[in-house]
Amino acid sequence: MNTISRVWALNLVFLLSLTLVVQAEKAPRKSKKDEVVTLSTNLGEMKLILFDQTPEHKANFLKLAQSGFYDGTTFHRVIQNFMIQGGDPNTKDADPDNDGAGQPDATPIPAEIRPELQHKFGAVAAARQGDYVNPTRASSASQFYVVQNHQGTKHLDGAYTVFGQVISGLDVIDKIAAQPTGPRDRPITDVKMTVKVDKLKKKKITELYGYQY
């Protein structure tokens, strides 16, 4: 190899090395921390983890939770052996007839349906309008439900966005689902919630709640 060839070879190696460094710098670093959402009710508290695989749903829920949006809302629809649903701002007022109809003009969240995120016991998923008016299966801007059936609700897989999981307080889901209900599966006694967000090291979350990343 002559001198010119060696220079070109060295330049090529340098450029390749520089490219790799730049790509490494651009690659997002995985955080060692995560948010734990604590959802408190008069029947106990649940702790949730929200999935990175559904970034828009995670960001939206955290924004609402941190702003106090959910505080004072209720679980307005509960069905034993199925799920408990909440997150409607209409449930803060004194009119039970408008529960579940809140934010009709709010911008929905694009669906983030992932096959690996399934409707198992304690899964947190986004409520939405039916396919006949919502063929893209976009999610409600705030309403969500938690799967209470201990065998899961597999018939909903692929149709609704699952974006989180209850990692502590699964018994509270059962307590809420067991409440006596009136018309439209609304609990006769309000089950109000307050929601807060704490950021912890993932290692600590695993130690406290057994959740594996």
Side-chain angles (χ1 to χ4, degrees):
M1 181 181 291
N2 59 37
T3 302
I4 294 177
S5 297
R6 282 199 295 270
V7 170
W8 274 107
L10 288 171
N11 286 338
L12 181 60
V13 170
F14 173 76
L15 289 172
L16 287 173
S17 300
L18 184 61
T19 300
L20 291 173
V21 169
V22 170
Q23 289 178 342
E25 288 178 349
K26 286 184 177 180
R29 294 181 179 179
K30 287 190 175 181
S31 175
K32 293 183 179 181
K33 293 185 176 182
D34 199 2
E35 290 85 359
V36 176
V37 178
T38 302
L39 195 159
S40 301
T41 75
N42 58 309
L43 297 173
E45 70 176 30
M46 294 174 272
K47 293 188 181 291
L48 327 174
I49 285 292
L50 307 178
F51 299 138
D52 290 335
Q53 299 99 306
T54 54
E56 293 197 53
H57 285 73
K58 180 172 184 174
N60 181 70
F61 193 95
L62 290 175
K63 178 182 177 181
L64 295 177
Q66 291 168 332
S67 72
F69 176 94
Y70 287 122
D71 295 346
T73 62
T74 74
F75 282 99
H76 63 273
R77 182 171 176 245
V78 306
I79 303 175
Q80 183 75 277
N81 295 318
F82 185 31
M83 60 89 220
I84 59 175
Q85 182 173 334
D88 182 359
N90 281 2
T91 61
K92 293 183 180 183
D93 65 28
D95 181 8
D97 293 332
N98 66 11
D99 291 359
Q103 294 187 294
D105 299 323
T107 302
I109 308 167
E112 295 180 298
I113 297 170
R114 301 288 296 262
E116 73 272 21
L117 304 178
Q118 301 177 343
H119 285 77
K120 63 182 182 179
F121 179 36
V124 182
R128 65 175 179 83
Q129 292 183 305
D131 288 359
Y132 61 98
V133 293
N134 179 28
T136 64
R137 296 177 169 175
S139 301
S140 163
S142 67
Q143 292 191 51
F144 64 94
Y145 61 92
V146 183
V147 175
Q148 187 266 330
N149 190 308
H150 289 214
Q151 281 70 52
T153 55
K154 295 186 181 300
H155 64 286
L156 298 181
D157 289 346
Y160 294 78
T161 297
V162 174
F163 65 94
Q165 177 66 37
V166 174
I167 59 173
S168 177
L170 290 167
D171 60 314
V172 178
I173 308 173
D174 289 335
K175 291 177 183 178
I176 295 173
Q179 294 303 295
T181 58
R184 295 181 290 119
D185 302 306
R186 185 184 187 279
I188 294 171
T189 302
D190 285 350
V191 182
K192 293 185 178 183
M193 70 179 81
T194 58
V195 183
K196 71 172 185 175
V197 180
D198 296 297
K199 199 160 191 176
L200 301 176
K201 290 183 177 179
K202 291 180 178 179
K203 183 178 179 181
K204 187 67 174 179
I205 294 171
T206 299
E207 290 175 358
L208 290 172
Y209 309 113
Y211 181 77
Q212 299 293 329
Y213 284 91

